[in-house]
């Protein structure tokens, strides 16, 4: 037997739950319990609304019987979470000739006519989905009704029950529509998410005395600091009207009239209500209210809109005031929200003319003039002009230009290509793999099909948060690292149960990492210490040396540089662990790529250009990322790693003299066989013995292996015998597990993700199924051979919440990521450990 769908009057004791009636209905019940002046309200459950969508109505007479005779009603949607949306509010249901005539007596003809016309329009367009244009013209109820009759071939309904039935049906069906479904699913709503509806008696914002409607909140949506923010419209109705030009301020304001000027007591009551809601609902709310002849009604309250920065400030303030526990403040903030605080961002409401899209490889946004090479970037910076470095892809030669630029844009590459890794380290926004760009760096032109041609000096904005390139400049919001952010980071440290280190190559990176409060440096890529042009040349001399004597001369020059670098790093990190990775230069990244570079190198080496060119040719590799990299260089040219080991040990002695003892961690890259480790270890041990002997000073160190080839993971058992730690380098491990180039995958990655081949770009989000399985296997084999072995992850994935989740479950000791990813990593780690309690 079919039962009639029911409804529930909202009273303090009624059975109303968020999971059955939606968030708005539950919130309204809480306001009623607080004795706030909420008009009579009825809630329809998800079940009832589903029945309505299939044509089964509640008993309309008893539903209308709840309200005063002839009252006007509103209907609002009430989904389970505010973000899931729902059909828009419909006001003034019940409006008809008789009500309009009565209103004309009490409120004046003009006000009554305006309400009637706007209801006919909204009923026709929003409820019955008639053509909006047809209802733009009519300005009197008579004309509007005539238009309605023309379109519907029946008179405008006078019966409130008929009107309300149509409104409920239309809202119930709108929820089932495809667009609405997709939109809410994008916000995380389940497939069967329900809609509740709330029918409320209207408290009209029109009348002879002080009358109007408004919204108000007591916190700034931008900063989250206490502030009265809102709009008030005398003789107005509904949220939409508040966008009109004649809407007023809330508090007395020199720029124009305000609610406070005419209704100070009611504003005071609203402030009390806001405070009460903050205490009881444990949230900053935005209140929708009306005044009718001076009488205040609170119609609705929603979680107030806020930027990421405000989100952090609000949660921290609620916890500091003892309203919510610290754990809850931490878990309320989605980790990636913090990116909005760390970098400048395009303002949420700024206009966007999107020129191209790529991978958002480093978050934040910057505006500047286009430059096509590093020297132009430096020249532009010297003139104090912000610039954007646009390259096909970047190489070490571009580093100075990258330092000088505000942001990086590359046609090629992905999440872990050179530009992306360096930009993240420098905290610069970067969009990589913007494949629709056509670059002509010689003619200094950038073309996107269908758009005007861009030249050097034209202004663009790179939004590395969204991966978009915008034409011209965009309004920005500034970073916010003090106050609430710093407090939140302290709390995250108290709750997290996995170490967070930073990948830092230079003292500047290390200082930034210290600002974010890391547990050490988990990866110092030593080849990155040679991006400075003077050093780059010495490095190239070393790579180019054709005989041991030349190589030794170059290494003798590199040694003091490295020693100074390490001494500074150790001093900065004050006894915290610092993992130094021995050279891992993919040779193609260190060879000059153009004629100017070759000439400069020929000059430095005092060799003819032709000789340098042919040597470069002899060093070319078909697959440099699988070529003479990492430990392969260390095994074939042992002097290089020996020089580095000496520099590390000498720096250890110097830095330990002044402060906490330093225990350096030396890490061997790109290992695939145990014998590689044995060879390097015996040489490093020999250098240590020599340094001890020559200086007469003692020190200790740890030697470990970077597990970034599948074979190293499989053979982790025997590798562990010679390693105090194993750190998984997920960039190369992903590249090699998939057989997918980290520099070229950007070209087809979006097609792969769109067609569901990969759920996500595996260079952005760790592939737990495949790469993860290899890591678990490696970890288990490593632990079996050496139970006290330290395990870690240090690829770019390591700052991502899903990789931290994986690492915690796998029992890793720490993760290590770019300094600017540390805050997100800390918050994610704290949330995961809180959730596990
Ligand atoms: C890795 O491969 O994961 C890694 C951290 O090293 P790099 O990115 O320098 O190759
Ligand atoms: Mg690597």
């Amino acid at each position: 037997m079919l039962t009639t769908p029911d409804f529930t009057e909202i009273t303090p004791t009624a059975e109303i739950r968020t999971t059955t009636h939606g968030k708005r209905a539950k919130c309204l019940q809480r306001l009623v319990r607080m004795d706030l002046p909420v008009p009579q309200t009825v809630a329809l459950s998800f079940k009832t609304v589903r029945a309505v969508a299939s044509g089964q109505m509640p008993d309309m007479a008893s539903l209308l019987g709840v309200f005063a005779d002839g009252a006007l009603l509103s209907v609002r949607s009430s989904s389970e979470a505010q973000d899931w949306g729902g059909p828009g509010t419909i006001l003034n249901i019940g409006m008809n000739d008789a009500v309009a005539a009565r209103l004309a007596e009490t409120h004046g003809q003009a006000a009554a006519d305006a309400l009637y016309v706007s209801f006919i329009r909204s009923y026709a367009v929003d409820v019955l989905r008639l053509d909006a244009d047809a209802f733009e013209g009519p300005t009197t109820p008579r004309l509007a009704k005539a238009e309605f009759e023309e379109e519907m071939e029946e008179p405008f309904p006078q019966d409130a029950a008929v009107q309300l039935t149509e409104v409920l049906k239309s809202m119930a069906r709108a929820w089932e529509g495809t667009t609405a479904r997709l939109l809410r699913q994008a916000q995380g709503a389940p497939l069967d998410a329900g809609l509740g509806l709330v029918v409320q008696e209207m408290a009209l914002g029109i009348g002879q005395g002080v009358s109007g409607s408004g919204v108000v909140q007591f916190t700034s949506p931008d900063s989250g600091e206490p502030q009265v923010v809102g709009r008030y419209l005398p003789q107005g109705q509904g949220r939409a009207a508040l966008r009109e030009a004649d809407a007023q301020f809330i508090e007395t304001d020199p720029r124009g009239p305000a609610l406070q000027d005419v209704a100070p007591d009611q504003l005071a009551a609203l402030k009390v209500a806001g405070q009460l809601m903050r205490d009881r609902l444990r949230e900053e709310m935005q209140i929708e209210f009306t005044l009718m002849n001076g009488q205040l009604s609170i119609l609705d309250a929603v979680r107030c809109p806020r930027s990421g920065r405000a989100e952090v400030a609000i949660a921290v303030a609620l916890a500091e005031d003892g309203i919510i526990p610290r754990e809850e403040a931490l878990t309320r903030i989605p980790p990636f929200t913090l990116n909005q605080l760390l970098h400048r961002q395009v303002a949420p409401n700024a206009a966007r003319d999107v020129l191209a899209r790529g991978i958002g490889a480093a978050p934040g946004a910057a505006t500047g003039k286009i430059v096509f090479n590093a020297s132009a970037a430096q020249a532009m910076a010297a003139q104090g002009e912000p610039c954007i470095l646009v390259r096909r892809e970047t190489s070490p030669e571009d580093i100075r230009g990258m330092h000088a630029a505000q942001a990086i844009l590359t046609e090629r590459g992905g999440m872990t290509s050179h530009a992306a890794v360096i930009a993240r380290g420098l905290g610069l926004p970067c969009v990589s793999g913007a494949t629709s760009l056509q670059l002509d760096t010689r003619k200094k032109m950038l073309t996107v099909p269908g758009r005007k041609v861009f030249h050097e000096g034209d202004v663009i904005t790179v939004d590395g948060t969204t991966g978009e390139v915008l034409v011209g400049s965009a309004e920005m919001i500034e970073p916010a690292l003090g106050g609430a952010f710093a407090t939140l980071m302290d709390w995250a440290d108290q709750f997290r149960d996995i170490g967070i280190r930073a990948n830092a190559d230079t003292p500047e990176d290390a200082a930034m990492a210290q600002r974010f409060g890391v547990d050490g440096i988990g990866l110092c890529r030593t080849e990155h210490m040679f991006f400075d042009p003077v050093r780059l040349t010495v490095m190239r001399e070393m790579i180019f040396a054709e005989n041991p004597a030349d190589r030794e001369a170059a290494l003798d020059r590199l040694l003091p540089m490295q020693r100074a670098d390490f001494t500074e790093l150790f001093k900065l990190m004050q006894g915290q662990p610092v993992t130094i990775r021995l050279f891992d230069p993919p040779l193609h990244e260190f060879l000059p790529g153009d004629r100017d570079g070759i000439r400069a190198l020929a000059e430095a080496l005092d060799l003819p250009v032709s000789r340098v060119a042919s040597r470069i040719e002899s060093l070319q590799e078909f697959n440099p990322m699988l070529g003479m990299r990492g430990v392969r260089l260390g095994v074939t040219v042992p002097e290089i790693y020996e020089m580095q080991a000496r520099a590390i040990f000498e720096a250890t002695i110097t830095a330990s003299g002044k402060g906490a003892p330093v225990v350096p961690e030396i890490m061997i890259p790109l290992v695939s066989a145990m014998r590689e480790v044995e060879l390097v270890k015996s040489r490093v041990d020999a250098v240590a013995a020599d340094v001890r002997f020559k200086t007469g000073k003692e020190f200790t160190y740890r030697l470990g292996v970077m597990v970034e080839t599948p074979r190293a993971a499989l053979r982790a058992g025997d590798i562990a015998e010679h390693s105090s730690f194993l750190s998984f380098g997920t960039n190369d491990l992903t590249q090699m597990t998939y057989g997918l180039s980290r520099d070229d995958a950007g070209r087809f990655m979006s097609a792969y993700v769109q067609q569901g081949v990969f759920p996500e770009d595996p260079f952005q989000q760790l592939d737990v199924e495949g790469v993860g399985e290899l890591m678990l296997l490696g970890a288990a084999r490593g632990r079996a051979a050496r139970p006290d072995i330290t395990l870690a992850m240090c690829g770019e994935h390591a700052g991502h919440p899903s990789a931290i989740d994986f690492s915690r479950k796998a029992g890793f000791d720490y993760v290590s990521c770019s300094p600017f990813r540390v805050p997100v990593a800390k918050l994610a780690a704290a949330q995961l450990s809180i959730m596990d309690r």
Side-chain angles (χ1 to χ4, degrees):
M1 193 190 78
L2 283 178
T3 51
T4 312
D6 60 354
F7 54 86
T8 312
E9 225 181 297
I10 296 189
T11 61
T13 52
E15 278 262 330
I16 301 225
R17 285 188 301 270
T18 306
T19 48
T20 53
H21 291 80
K23 192 140 191 121
R24 174 168 269 133
K26 186 69 215 175
C27 178
L28 281 166
Q29 185 183 41
R30 291 192 171 128
L31 303 188
V32 169
R33 284 183 187 154
M34 287 175 217
D35 263 343
L36 293 172
V38 178
Q40 180 72 272
T41 310
V42 160
L44 274 58
S45 68
F46 301 165
K47 203 167 132 209
T48 299
V49 174
R50 250 179 227 128
V52 169
S54 59
Q56 230 191 311
M57 297 305 294
D59 175 2
M60 295 307 281
S62 44
L63 174 49
L64 285 168
V66 173
F67 302 99
D69 225 10
L72 296 183
L73 305 175
S74 68
V75 182
R76 289 185 170 81
S77 55
S78 176
S79 53
E80 210 173 321
Q82 198 172 311
D83 298 345
W84 297 354
T89 303
I90 305 286
L91 302 177
N92 299 320
I93 301 153
M95 192 67 171
N96 56 23
D97 293 352
V99 176
R102 211 175 56 227
L103 273 176
E105 278 168 25
T106 51
H107 294 69
Q109 191 67 45
D113 280 359
L115 273 193
Y116 201 2
V117 170
S118 94
F119 178 63
I120 296 170
R121 194 177 287 150
S122 139
Y123 186 78
V125 177
D126 302 326
V127 180
L128 301 184
R129 320 235 169 247
L130 301 182
D131 185 5
D133 291 347
F135 288 87
E136 285 301 320
T139 51
T140 64
R142 193 177 54 78
L143 292 174
K145 281 190 288 182
E147 187 63 46
F148 185 92
E149 196 157 347
E150 165 94 19
E151 294 280 330
M152 290 297 292
E153 293 175 4
E154 60 183 53
F156 181 76
Q158 296 291 310
D159 184 352
V162 172
Q163 294 177 5
L164 184 58
T165 301
E166 290 304 323
V167 169
L168 296 180
K169 274 192 199 162
S170 134
M171 290 174 82
R173 286 176 186 159
W175 180 251
E176 307 290 347
T178 312
T179 319
R181 194 184 289 269
L182 288 176
L183 282 176
R184 64 179 177 264
Q185 277 164 18
Q187 297 292 332
L191 285 175
D192 61 348
L195 176 73
L197 290 172
V198 165
V199 185
Q200 189 178 69
E201 186 161 333
M202 298 275 300
L204 293 182
I206 54 173
Q208 259 84 43
V210 177
S211 300
S213 65
V215 295
V216 65
Q217 64 185 56
F218 301 100
T219 185
S220 152
D222 299 321
S223 69
E225 299 293 325
Q227 189 185 336
V228 180
V229 181
R231 301 295 275 163
Y232 170 70
L233 184 68
Q235 307 295 334
Q237 254 199 352
R239 278 174 175 265
L242 296 170
R243 286 195 285 271
E244 284 174 17
D246 45 358
Q248 302 182 352
F249 298 99
I250 297 288
E251 283 191 308
T252 300
D253 194 298
R255 291 168 294 175
L259 171 69
Q260 189 176 14
D261 305 339
V262 290
D265 295 345
Q266 292 85 340
L267 176 57
L270 281 167
K271 286 185 180 174
V272 171
Q275 190 58 46
L276 204 58
M277 289 184 203
R278 186 173 188 266
D279 288 344
R280 301 266 197 93
L281 305 182
R282 304 153 75 244
E283 186 49 283
E284 289 288 354
M285 303 298 281
Q286 187 185 61
I287 305 172
E288 189 173 342
F289 66 93
T290 61
L291 293 180
M292 186 162 61
N293 298 327
Q295 193 190 335
L296 174 67
S297 295
I298 290 182
L299 312 182
D300 191 28
V302 294
R303 186 176 175 273
C304 72
R306 61 196 69 183
S307 67
R309 177 179 171 176
E311 172 123 53
V312 171
I314 290 170
V316 168
L318 286 171
E320 280 180 332
D321 293 346
I323 296 171
I324 59 173
R326 288 179 179 183
E327 290 92 318
E328 191 173 339
L330 285 162
T331 46
R332 276 188 183 192
I333 298 162
F336 285 114
T337 305
L338 297 183
N339 280 334
Q340 292 180 33
L341 283 78
L342 301 176
H343 308 277
R344 298 182 87 202
Q345 300 289 340
V346 175
N349 300 325
R352 287 172 165 263
D353 179 3
V354 178
L355 176 67
R357 286 196 172 80
I359 292 171
T367 297
K369 293 184 172 171
I370 297 176
V371 289
F372 292 97
N373 57 51
S375 48
Q378 286 173 263
M380 202 67 99
Q383 293 163 17
E385 285 278 3
C387 63
I388 308 289
L389 180 61
V390 184
R391 302 285 288 161
R392 188 151 291 145
E393 59 201 341
T394 60
S395 69
E397 280 169 319
D398 295 315
I399 291 291
R400 297 207 85 189
M402 294 173 87
H403 271 281
Q406 254 57 42
I408 318 293
L409 168 62
T410 64
E411 181 195 326
R412 296 190 188 151
M415 198 63 193
T416 63
S417 53
H418 183 267
V421 172
I422 300 294
R424 279 198 294 278
L426 295 175
L428 290 180
C430 173
V431 171
S432 63
T435 45
S436 64
L437 300 180
Q438 291 164 7
L439 279 190
D440 187 334
T441 41
R442 284 241 194 106
K443 290 197 189 139
K444 302 194 170 161
M445 276 169 33
L446 182 162
T447 334
V448 174
R451 304 295 293 245
K452 79 166 191 147
V453 177
F454 286 76
H455 298 97
E456 186 166 283
D458 287 344
V459 174
I460 56 170
T461 297
V462 167
D463 186 342
T465 306
T466 61
E468 287 176 346
V469 184
L470 312 176
V471 177
S473 55
E475 195 194 327
M476 299 278 182
I477 46 178
E478 296 299 321
L481 295 184
F485 170 79
T487 307
L488 190 80
M489 287 295 95
D490 280 350
W491 295 351
D493 285 340
Q494 287 166 22
F495 287 98
R496 71 185 161 93
D497 55 9
I498 185 167
I500 310 277
R501 296 197 195 179
N503 296 351
D505 313 323
T506 60
E508 294 84 63
D509 291 348
M512 182 55 73
Q514 287 285 48
R515 271 186 75 188
F516 292 140
V518 291
D519 301 323
I521 290 177
L523 173 64
C524 168
R525 294 171 161 109
T526 49
E527 66 283 357
H528 286 195
M529 296 170 139
F530 289 85
F531 287 153
D532 175 272
V534 178
R535 291 174 159 217
L536 187 58
T537 306
V538 187
M539 172 84 160
R540 283 175 171 162
E541 284 177 35
M542 191 268 293
I543 292 172
F544 266 68
E546 286 175 351
N547 56 58
D550 286 355
R551 177 158 296 121
E552 201 178 317
L555 287 168
D556 282 349
R557 289 174 66 200
L558 290 175
L559 175 70
M561 296 176 187
Q562 285 269 267
R563 190 170 48 220
D565 290 336
F566 298 142
T567 306
E568 205 174 340
L569 267 189
F570 294 151
K571 282 184 180 163
L572 264 173
M573 298 310 292
Q574 298 171 354
Q576 282 189 314
V578 176
T579 309
I580 293 168
R581 180 179 78 181
L582 300 174
F583 269 142
D584 177 19
L587 284 183
H588 71 303
E589 281 189 12
F590 282 84
L591 297 179
D594 55 14
R595 219 175 302 174
D596 286 350
I598 295 176
R599 198 169 320 118
L601 184 58
E603 266 165 28
L605 295 171
D606 198 17
L607 287 174
V609 168
S610 60
R611 178 107 174 262
V612 172
S614 69
R615 178 91 173 112
I616 289 178
E617 208 172 67
S618 74
L619 285 172
Q620 291 291 352
E621 295 174 309
F622 284 109
N623 253 327
M625 292 302 269
L626 301 179
M628 180 78 140
R629 279 183 64 191
V631 70
R632 298 164 195 171
L633 191 69
V635 168
T636 43
V637 191
E639 306 93 294
I640 300 178
Y641 281 6
E642 284 168 10
M643 176 280 288
Q644 289 199 295
R646 186 171 300 278
I648 292 168
F649 297 138
E650 290 175 359
T652 300
I653 292 170
T654 312
S656 301
K658 302 245 165 53
V662 174
V663 179
E665 299 183 347
I666 299 177
M667 181 154 76
I668 314 172
L670 222 76
V671 165
S672 56
M674 184 260 266
R675 180 74 185 139
E676 290 167 325
V677 187
E678 255 177 7
L679 283 174
V680 174
K681 182 169 170 19
S682 65
R683 287 177 191 140
V684 169
D685 287 345
V687 174
D690 189 53
V691 173
R692 285 191 186 110
F693 176 73
K694 286 197 174 124
T695 60
K697 298 267 167 57
E698 264 311 317
F699 55 86
T700 51
Y701 63 95
R702 304 176 77 212
L703 191 93
V705 162
M706 199 159 170
V707 179
E708 48 183 348
T709 67
R711 195 175 191 284
L714 294 170
R715 303 304 305 165
D718 33 87
I719 287 172
E721 283 172 25
H722 303 286
S723 315
S724 340
F725 60 92
L726 298 179
S727 183
F728 291 91
T730 48
N731 302 333
D732 275 307
L733 195 57
T734 300
Q735 166 165 267
M736 295 192 212
T737 302
Y738 277 86
L740 194 65
S741 159
R742 44 198 275 203
D743 298 299
D744 301 309
R747 281 208 199 155
F748 53 87
M749 191 54 75
S750 57
Y752 256 54
V753 173
Q754 263 163 25
Q755 294 180 49
V757 183
F758 303 152
E760 297 280 348
D761 176 348
F763 289 110
Q764 295 205 33
Q765 198 158 333
L766 183 72
D767 161 44
V768 172
E769 281 178 356
V771 179
E773 185 172 0
L774 259 179
M775 285 199 273
L776 290 179
L777 209 140
R781 292 183 182 178
R783 264 199 209 106
R786 190 171 182 143
D788 66 341
I789 198 157
T790 302
L791 295 170
M793 183 193 298
C794 66
E796 292 302 312
H797 303 89
H800 196 287
S802 63
I804 294 170
D805 186 23
F806 172 87
S807 302
R808 283 183 73 248
K809 288 185 180 139
F812 288 4
D813 298 278
Y814 65 88
V815 295
S816 187
C817 55
S818 307
F820 280 97
R821 297 188 138 201
V822 164
V824 169
K826 280 188 171 185
L827 179 55
Q831 290 181 349
L832 290 161
S833 77
I834 290 168
M835 274 172 337
D836 271 0
R837 283 155 160 229

